[in-house]
């Protein structure tokens, strides 16, 4: 599903609220949580601020889904959950050390035009109704650290998005877009319809809306290494791990974690006197361990990929050599094959979209095929 952000979030919210009558939406910000006892083993309530009014609600399970704000991490500061070096058992980390961060210095710009319904026919672009992405080029650290996505979103919104490591290009006119395209180092030339597209929007003078932004650093809060968390606190999505947005994995990751939570909740048997589920002790640890197993690998794979670019500022204590072998394999051997071999590209896509386990790319037959392809390419190019 490819939708613009301003449609996607309300759509999800509406689908949930229409489908489940026992879910209510409260407008406001969660500003604090309260424990049931002084040792913070369990949370009992949350405080929600709406305008000038703060209301406290009882809570059986608290899920931090506050995105990049990572509000949950701050709620526990200066509480017994915030363990210091001296009171953190071995095998765990002091609370302040749970949060890691590196700055990929990614910049992005989107240029949007509202076009007529028959626009794709006019510019000679092949029509594939299964995806709203018309053209995608991702960065290759061996060639060019910039990316392009051209997409026709809902309501005939034609979007040309650019991203890149430490990009400084200004994007204010169609001429700037043309220059950006002409300077890109690509595996294959851009399709002819791309230049028709620029000619058409320029000739018809469709007014562009352009917005640019710097993507904040990637962060990872390693809750699975926390010594003391309330048993009924968990965190999902960007509030735990924010990724490089270019591969577009953040929403899928959040969905996978929701599915993980669902499976764990289904296994809870404890109920109170009136039959309501009681989150058992150890639930939080169990969830964060499952989360590490299901989606935690993305922290390493994103770092391995991003560290190929010299402008990236690594996590404190890391250096750019992290993930070198993985980069060599993916960019040197796998990417050239993805472009030419349907089976390889399907497996790579399925693993990236969490539809297959990463072990799919470790089967001897797969590795042999990749090795053979790169050896052939080397022999014939020399
Ligand atoms: C430029 C860019 C492009 C991207 N493109 C893609 C893409 O193509 N595909 C993809 O899968 N992912 C993409 N992502 C990543 C994706 O947007 C995120 O991974 C995803 O939105 C995470 O969902 P979330 O629910 O965890 O957090 P969010 O979507 O950030 O939602 C968090 C919500 O919590 C609210 N909130 C914050 N604090 C509080 C509080 N204290 N109390 C109550 N509410 C609070 C916020 O207002 C927000 O509504 C992109 C990200 C960026 C920056």
């Amino acid at each position: 599903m490819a939708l613009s952000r301003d449609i996607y979030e309300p759509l999800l919210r509406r689908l949930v609220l229409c489908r489940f009558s026992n879910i209510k939406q409260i407008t406001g910000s969660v500003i604090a949580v309260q424990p049931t006892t002084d040792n913070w083993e369990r949370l009992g309530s949350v405080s929600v601020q709406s305008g000038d009014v703060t209301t406290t609600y009882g809570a059986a399970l608290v899920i931090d889904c506050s995105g990049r704000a990572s509000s949950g991490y701050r709620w526990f500061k200066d509480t017994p959950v915030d363990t210091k070096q001296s009171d953190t058992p071995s095998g765990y980390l002091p609370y302040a050390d749970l949060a890691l961060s590196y700055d990929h210095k990614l910049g992005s710009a989107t240029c949007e035009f509202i076009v007529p319904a028959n626009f794709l026919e006019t510019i000679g672009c092949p029509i594939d109704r299964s995806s709203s992405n018309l053209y995608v080029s991702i960065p290759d650290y061996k060639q060019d650290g910039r990316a392009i996505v051209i997409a026709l979103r809902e309501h005939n919104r034609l979007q040309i998005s650019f991203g890149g490591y430490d990009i400084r290009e200004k994007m204010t006119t169609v001429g700037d877009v043309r220059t950006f395209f002409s300077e890109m180092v690509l595996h294959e030339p851009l399709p002819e319809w791309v230049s028709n597209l620029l000619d058409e929007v320029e000739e018809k003078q469709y007014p562009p809306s352009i917005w640019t932004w710097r993507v904040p650093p990637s962060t990872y809060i390693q809750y699975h290494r926390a010594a003391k968390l309330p048993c009924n606190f968990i965190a999902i999505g960007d509030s735990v791990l924010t990724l490089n947005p270019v591969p577009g994995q953040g929403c899928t990751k959040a969905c996978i974690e929701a599915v993980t939570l669902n499976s764990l909740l289904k296994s809870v048997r404890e109920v109170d006197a009136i039959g309501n589920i009681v989150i058992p002790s150890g639930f939080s640890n169990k969830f964060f361990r499952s989360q590490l197993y299901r989606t935690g690998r993305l922290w390493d794979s994103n770092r391995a990929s991003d560290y190929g670019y010299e402008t990236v500022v690594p996590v404190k204590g890391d250096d750019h050599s992290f993930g070198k072998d993985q980069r060599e394999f993916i960019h040197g051997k796998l990417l050239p094959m993805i472009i030419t071999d349907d089976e390889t590209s399907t497996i790579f896509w399925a693993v990236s979209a969490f539809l297959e386990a990463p072990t799919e790319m470790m089967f001897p037959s797969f590795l042999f095929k990749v090795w053979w392809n790169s050896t052939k390419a080397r022999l014939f190019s020399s």
Side-chain angles (χ1 to χ4, degrees):
M1 180 164 56
L3 294 168
S4 59
R5 164 86 195 208
D6 42 335
I7 293 278
Y8 183 60
E9 192 176 345
L11 172 71
L12 279 185
R13 195 176 300 130
R14 222 171 286 174
L15 285 172
V16 169
L17 292 174
C18 291
R19 170 80 176 73
F20 301 98
S21 58
N22 58 344
I23 295 184
K24 286 203 181 72
Q25 181 182 353
I26 299 166
T27 304
S29 289
V30 178
I31 53 167
V33 288
Q34 295 82 30
T36 52
T37 54
D38 286 349
N39 61 12
W40 285 72
E41 280 179 1
R42 183 181 291 274
L43 297 176
S45 53
V46 296
S47 299
V48 179
Q49 186 170 35
S50 186
D52 293 338
V53 181
T54 300
T55 313
T56 298
Y57 298 89
L61 173 66
V62 177
I63 308 170
D64 177 11
C65 330
S66 60
R68 283 185 177 274
S70 296
S71 305
Y73 186 61
R74 287 198 302 271
W75 294 331
F76 301 123
K77 197 144 179 16
D78 299 326
T79 71
V81 179
D82 182 2
T83 60
K84 310 294 175 215
Q85 187 77 50
S86 55
D87 58 347
T88 303
S90 74
Y92 297 92
L93 288 177
Y95 194 71
D97 294 351
L98 297 180
L100 301 175
S101 164
Y102 71 91
D103 193 355
H104 35 51
K105 293 196 179 168
L106 280 166
S108 181
T110 293
C111 188
E112 181 177 289
F113 306 89
I114 306 298
V115 294
N118 65 346
F119 186 77
L120 296 188
E121 286 93 335
T122 312
I123 61 169
C125 172
I127 297 171
D128 172 8
R129 299 272 174 227
S130 64
S131 168
S132 70
N133 285 341
L134 306 172
Y135 177 84
V136 178
S137 158
I138 57 167
D140 179 351
Y141 82 102
K142 286 181 179 284
Q143 284 199 335
D144 198 323
R146 294 173 293 179
I148 308 174
V149 177
I150 305 177
L152 187 60
R153 306 286 188 216
E154 69 282 347
H155 306 314
N156 298 326
R157 294 166 65 178
L158 178 83
Q159 294 185 341
I160 307 174
S161 299
F162 316 85
Y165 294 85
D166 207 28
I167 56 168
R168 286 156 198 279
E169 289 89 337
K170 293 261 177 300
M171 215 53 75
T172 46
T173 63
V174 176
D176 295 335
V177 177
R178 219 185 270 281
T179 307
F180 188 94
F181 282 174
S182 66
E183 288 173 353
M184 288 273 300
V185 182
L186 297 163
H187 284 274
E188 287 174 3
L190 283 165
E192 203 183 320
W193 60 260
V194 174
S195 114
N196 298 344
L197 181 160
L198 296 177
D199 292 345
E200 185 71 9
V201 293
E202 222 166 21
E203 193 187 311
K204 298 279 164 50
Q205 298 192 348
Y206 297 123
S209 306
I210 299 177
W211 55 97
T212 59
W213 63 95
R214 280 254 151 212
V215 182
S218 274
T219 52
Y220 185 26
I221 302 177
Q222 307 163 86
Y223 283 116
H224 60 280
R225 303 189 69 185
K228 284 184 191 172
L229 281 175
C231 68
N232 59 343
F233 166 79
I234 63 159
I236 275 180
D238 279 15
S239 70
V240 180
L241 169 58
T242 55
L243 300 168
N244 176 336
V246 174
Q249 294 174 306
C251 296
T252 314
K253 177 175 78 68
C255 293
I256 300 275
E257 291 168 358
V259 171
T260 303
L261 172 62
N262 184 49
S263 319
L264 285 185
L265 282 176
K266 280 186 165 170
S267 67
V268 172
R269 297 282 169 265
E270 288 82 344
V271 287
D272 64 12
I274 53 167
N276 289 328
I277 283 184
V278 175
I279 300 299
S281 65
F283 184 85
S284 175
N285 293 339
K286 204 168 163 188
F287 172 81
F288 285 120
R289 276 199 306 272
S290 301
Q291 186 182 53
L292 172 69
Y293 173 72
R294 301 293 294 275
T295 56
R297 67 182 161 91
L298 291 170
W299 173 246
D300 282 349
S301 61
N302 267 242
R303 269 188 310 146
S305 166
D306 287 337
Y307 284 10
Y309 301 89
E310 279 175 8
T311 48
V312 172
V313 182
V315 174
K316 203 170 155 203
D318 270 1
D319 63 47
H320 284 263
S321 64
F322 177 85
K324 190 165 177 289
D325 293 344
Q326 184 178 329
R327 279 196 296 279
E328 285 294 325
F329 176 72
I330 292 184
H331 290 263
K333 297 188 168 56
L334 205 54
L335 281 185
M337 260 185 94
I338 285 169
I339 295 165
T340 53
D341 184 69
D342 282 350
E343 190 194 18
T344 310
S345 81
T346 304
I347 293 175
F348 184 75
W349 175 80
V351 170
S352 307
F354 296 90
L355 297 171
E356 294 287 357
T359 46
E360 282 296 312
M361 295 202 307
M362 289 169 202
F363 280 122
S365 54
F366 182 83
L367 292 174
F368 178 77
K369 192 174 170 184
V370 175
W371 170 81
W372 176 237
N373 191 66
S374 72
T375 306
K376 245 180 4 190
R378 230 186 16 253
L379 289 176
F380 288 114
S381 68
S382 58

